[in-house]
């Protein structure tokens, strides 16, 4: 079955983004290394499993909300965007 150019581009972009997410050492990776060096592989495996399950939970919730966002009227999403932007401005003002 031939793959369309748009699907190929989307899959390529997803692969590159996934590779960069995995290859770039972030705070979880550094925490796992620290735990393994101090407490052994068992603690590192427990921490990595918890981090993976947490990421999986957020991924599934994001997917469900994106599906649900198609059912919400555009005007509601615009109001939600404005409220969220206003909140970000408010907390950035409080930080200064």
């Amino acid at each position: 079955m031939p793959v369309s150019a748009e699907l190929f581009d989307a899959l390529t972009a997803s692969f590159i983004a996934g590779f960069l997410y995995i290859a770039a050492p972030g705070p979880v990776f550094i925490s796992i290394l620290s735990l393994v060096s101090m407490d052994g592989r068992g603690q590192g495996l427990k921490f990595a499993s918890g981090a993976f399950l947490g990421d999986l939970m957020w991924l599934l919730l994001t997917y469900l909300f994106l599906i649900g966002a198609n059912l919400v009227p555009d005007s509601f999403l615009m109001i939600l965007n404005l409220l969220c932007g206003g909140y970000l401005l408010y907390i950035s003002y409080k930080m200064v």
Side-chain angles (χ1 to χ4, degrees):
M1 180 168 91
V3 177
S4 69
E6 293 171 349
L7 179 60
F8 181 75
D9 290 343
L11 289 175
T12 304
S14 297
F15 176 77
I16 292 171
F19 177 77
L20 291 175
Y21 178 75
I22 292 169
V28 172
F29 182 75
I30 303 299
S31 297
I32 292 171
L33 285 180
S34 175
L35 272 172
V36 167
S37 67
M38 291 174 28
D39 298 330
R41 288 180 291 189
Q43 292 296 333
L45 183 61
K46 287 179 187 177
F47 184 84
S49 299
F52 174 74
L53 289 175
D55 284 349
L56 185 63
M57 178 192 72
W58 286 115
L59 179 70
L60 291 174
L61 283 174
T62 302
Y63 181 69
L64 290 174
F65 286 132
L66 284 174
I67 290 172
N70 289 333
L71 305 174
V72 176
D74 290 338
S75 58
F76 177 77
L77 292 177
M78 180 60 73
I79 293 170
L80 185 62
N81 284 336
L82 292 173
L83 289 173
C84 292
Y87 178 69
L88 287 174
L89 287 173
Y90 169 74
I91 60 173
S92 63
Y93 175 75
K94 290 301 237 181
M95 291 294 292
V96 177

